[in-house]
Amino acid sequence: MGTIRGERTVEIEAPVERVFEIAADIERAPSWQQSLQDVDVLERDGERRPTSVETESDAKVRTIRSRLRFAYDPPTAITWDQERGDVKALHGWWRLEDLGGGRTRATYGLEVDPGRMLGMLLRGPAEGKVRDFLVGGAAEGLKARAEAG
């Protein structure tokens, strides 16, 4: 099995700075991102944003643990890459676009190489369900959190 890639875009009734602030608050992400179960911050940058974190995520077929390295480009982008973990490789991103009038377009993306063992669990229809769960839950969760005020 190769790489699983997916993106989900939502339009949010909130300013881009607010959306970025919520997306960059990795410690609180489990409260609005359904697949993310636990976050442990290991390092922070000069602005106190998490740069290295241990995560535990529900990937439907099993719990996935990863150490992720985050990079920030306020207020339009956040990226992360796995340094080590249960999958072979993982790269993710938020792209935020100011639509004016206090509205933001947010795109959440993931590229995951599950590796041989996990890849065997993700054949056929399971792959699409896992991709939709991982990508859709984050985008919809950010929208709900940002619009809640």
Side-chain angles (χ1 to χ4, degrees):
M1 153 162 270
T3 300
I4 299 172
R5 185 180 195 286
E7 276 192 345
R8 179 74 51 91
T9 299
V10 294
E11 291 193 5
I12 301 172
E13 297 293 330
V16 69
E17 294 82 8
R18 167 120 176 95
V19 175
F20 180 87
E21 177 184 310
I22 293 166
D25 189 356
I26 310 303
E27 289 171 284
R28 289 190 178 91
S31 71
W32 54 264
Q33 192 171 332
Q34 68 186 43
S35 66
L36 194 55
Q37 297 174 324
D38 190 43
V39 171
D40 183 25
V41 176
L42 305 174
E43 296 174 17
R44 296 179 185 275
D45 66 11
E47 295 184 35
R48 306 290 305 145
R49 297 177 299 213
T51 54
S52 179
V53 301
E54 294 274 352
T55 64
E56 209 170 272
S57 299
D58 175 5
K60 287 285 199 194
V61 294
R62 69 176 264 212
T63 298
I64 304 294
R65 289 173 182 77
S66 297
R67 177 173 287 176
L68 305 174
R69 174 72 55 184
F70 284 80
Y72 302 89
D73 185 12
T76 59
I78 302 170
T79 59
W80 56 95
D81 289 287
Q82 177 179 270
E83 293 183 320
R84 68 175 192 227
D86 292 341
V87 296
K88 186 173 178 181
L90 181 148
H91 173 68
W93 61 93
W94 281 109
R95 284 193 310 267
L96 308 175
E97 180 184 350
D98 186 349
L99 299 176
R103 299 180 71 240
T104 303
R105 178 176 295 123
T107 300
Y108 179 83
L110 274 181
E111 285 182 358
V112 181
D113 181 342
R116 187 173 156 269
M117 294 304 288
L118 186 56
M120 290 169 52
L121 296 172
L122 295 176
R123 294 203 169 146
E127 178 184 344
K129 288 180 181 173
V130 169
R131 178 179 38 248
D132 290 346
F133 175 72
L134 294 175
V135 177
E140 294 300 328
L142 180 61
K143 176 179 173 65
R145 175 71 181 92
E147 291 180 351

